[in-house]
Amino acid sequence: MNRPFWHIIIVFTAIAALLLPRVAFSQTVSADTVASESKGKKFDAKSFIFGHTGDSYEFHVTEVKGKPINIALPVIVKSKERGWFVFSSKHICHLHPGENYKGFFIQSQDAEKHAGKLVETNGKGEVIRPFDLSFTKNAFGLFFCCAFLLVFFLPAARQYKKNPMGKPNRYQGLVEWLTLMVLDGIIKPSINEKKYRKFAPYLLTVFFFIFFNNLFGLIPFFPFGANVTGNLAVTMVLALITYFFVNVLGSKHYWKDILWPDVPVFLKVPIPLMPIIELVSTLTKPFALMIRLFANILAGHIIIMVLMALIFILGGMYGAGMGLGISFISIFMTIFMTALEMLVAYIQAYVFTMLSAIFIGLAQEEPEKPKEKKQHIPIQQSSN
Amino acid sequence: MDLFLPESGLVIWMLIAFLIVFAILAKAGWPMIMNAVDKRNQHISDAMLAAKEANEALAGVEQKRKEVLADTQAEQLRIMKESQELKTQIVEEAKEQARKESEKIIAEAHTRIKKEQDEAMVQIKSEVVALSFSIAEKLLKKELDDKQAQSDFIEKLLDNSKNIQA
């Protein structure tokens, strides 16, 4: 056997050793599920997969001797009847069925409505969802990534400000390379030369926000691993901000083309058919952005989780031997998928930024100046 | 499914976090980096242009130097040729003048010699006359001691003078 093969085996085993405890124990579902699992009951693939790809009220770090180690996060809720409550998530995440904390409890993953979410029971005995401003795992991941962005980019900016003509050091070189990759590769080709500076900060921020969130989501340990960009709330906000930059800051010409496009008049009056289509198209563009990013990242996470779940499903069905056997295939596939997801992390950030830039660029176009047309005619006449 | 419902809480956190980061980076992050890069690009292109111009100017100077050198050489040649010509001319002129001068001197010498010769001749003539007179006087003195001889002689002289007058 040649050497590279052994290297692969070693890497394989190392990664298996790293990943196995995580997938085996890092449950973010309620305590009864964890308890039932450790007692050797049937493995719950659904809550395993969606518990990891979804949001949760605490940050599961690892498990030591059967006891989960969680980082408690603040729960901030406004009950419909009782007002605001702020408490640590450690009080609420490990309640037994039927128990509650200050009237709140987490709905079980099997429930039809609000599965895995914090709920309360109102006066009529109905289970309802309070207004939930909890600082969840995704919110934590989000803030962590934002802090990282500031810590990563601001020192470079300060160094540039202090000494703009100096030779950039290695760190500045990295920042500059990343920035120019987006600026020269995406922004400048998409937006009018005179106007790109106005939109570059947003597009740069959005690119690195998505890119680093995607990458951090792939790292399977605290403080990483939150599935931020695979969450619809996050992509929705990004798409809304893009909508704002495209439409609210769009030029007059752009709005004229939407509300009064250059089509035969019967398409605009009496029924404004084309304006309606154009207006809807302004909404579908950010909607597609929102869904594309969300679905791509979520799908990647789900595939990795399914591959891991496969070990326990087959292990449960055919015994530990089968689970061990399939784990080699699963881990190999997971490595492959993780590598692929790193590519997807870049591609999705790129696609979101590029499409945003193109939409902004299209909304900034000015009509061809009539002056030029007037100039053409005399030239032709004089040449004749 | 809940997975496809955006959570209002997370929407708010996302909005807060993203807008804060965007505001900070838009204010103190990206413009600094972009400006610095633009400034440096401008500086580099300026420097390249200046270097190109300097090179061109240097090439011009070299060209000019060669031209000046060629001009100088031509001038040198011309001056040398001219001076050669001048030299021969001067020598010719000097020769001519010397010839003329010598001719003049010779001619002068000739006239002076002739004049002195004439003067000498006149002097010799007068001396010869004086000598012959003194001889004649002495002879006459000796011959005309007696009276007869004196009268004969006077006669003879008178005759002679008559002959001359006639």
Side-chain angles (χ1 to χ4, degrees), chain A residues 139-281:
Chain A
F140 177 84
L142 186 66
F143 273 75
F144 179 78
C145 187
C146 287
F148 173 81
L149 285 182
L150 293 182
V151 168
F152 185 69
F153 285 108
L154 282 182
R158 200 163 53 238
Q159 286 174 10
Y160 274 119
K161 196 181 178 184
K162 217 183 280 174
N163 186 11
M165 300 308 283
K167 177 175 166 283
N169 56 31
R170 285 174 181 216
Y171 155 65
Q172 276 176 298
L174 175 65
V175 168
E176 191 179 310
W177 174 66
L178 286 169
T179 311
L180 292 186
M181 176 181 76
V182 181
L183 195 67
D184 293 342
I186 302 174
I187 299 171
K188 281 184 186 172
S190 308
I191 306 178
N192 185 331
E193 203 177 275
K194 290 170 198 159
K195 292 181 176 171
Y196 80 88
R197 277 185 159 270
K198 186 175 161 192
F199 299 98
Y202 167 66
L203 292 167
L204 284 163
T205 312
V206 104
F207 179 89
F208 291 109
F209 180 83
I210 296 173
F211 181 54
F212 283 115
N213 265 317
N214 288 347
L215 283 183
F216 287 1
L218 292 174
I219 304 171
F221 49 80
F222 182 83
F224 310 102
N227 181 22
V228 177
T229 39
N231 188 297
L232 205 55
V234 172
T235 60
M236 191 183 80
V237 171
L238 291 176
L240 281 175
I241 298 173
T242 293
Y243 183 86
F244 170 84
F245 274 101
V246 172
N247 293 291
V248 178
L249 301 182
S251 65
K252 271 183 192 168
H253 175 69
Y254 166 77
W255 275 105
K256 187 242 154 204
D257 267 359
I258 289 173
L259 299 174
W260 197 255
D262 288 331
V263 289
V265 177
F266 67 86
L267 289 172
K268 300 184 275 194
V269 179
I271 308 158
L273 197 63
M274 285 308 289
I276 287 172
I277 291 172
E278 291 281 356
L279 272 176
V280 170
S281 87

Side-chain angles (χ1 to χ4, degrees), chain B residues 140 143-144 147-165:
Chain B
L140 283 176
E143 276 183 19
L144 296 177
K147 288 252 184 148
Q148 187 64 40
Q150 277 176 4
S151 55
D152 287 350
F153 188 66
I154 290 162
E155 288 273 325
K156 200 183 159 183
L157 281 176
L158 287 169
D159 283 350
N160 271 3
S161 63
K162 275 176 187 168
N163 283 350
I164 288 163
Q165 278 173 343

Side-chain angles (χ1 to χ4, degrees), chain A residues 85-135:
Chain A
F85 286 88
V86 178
F87 50 88
S88 163
S89 70
K90 71 182 175 192
H91 298 301
I92 200 156
C93 285
H94 305 288
L95 295 172
H96 292 291
E99 286 178 341
N100 66 53
Y101 180 78
K102 292 183 179 173
F104 301 101
F105 61 95
I106 291 175
Q107 187 75 297
S108 103
Q109 291 286 347
D110 303 324
E112 262 183 36
K113 278 180 97 182
H114 315 311
K117 300 288 179 198
L118 190 130
V119 289
E120 63 173 344
T121 315
N122 68 4
K124 295 169 191 166
E126 290 167 324
V127 173
I128 54 159
R129 183 106 168 83
F131 177 66
D132 188 353
L133 198 62
S134 299
F135 197 76

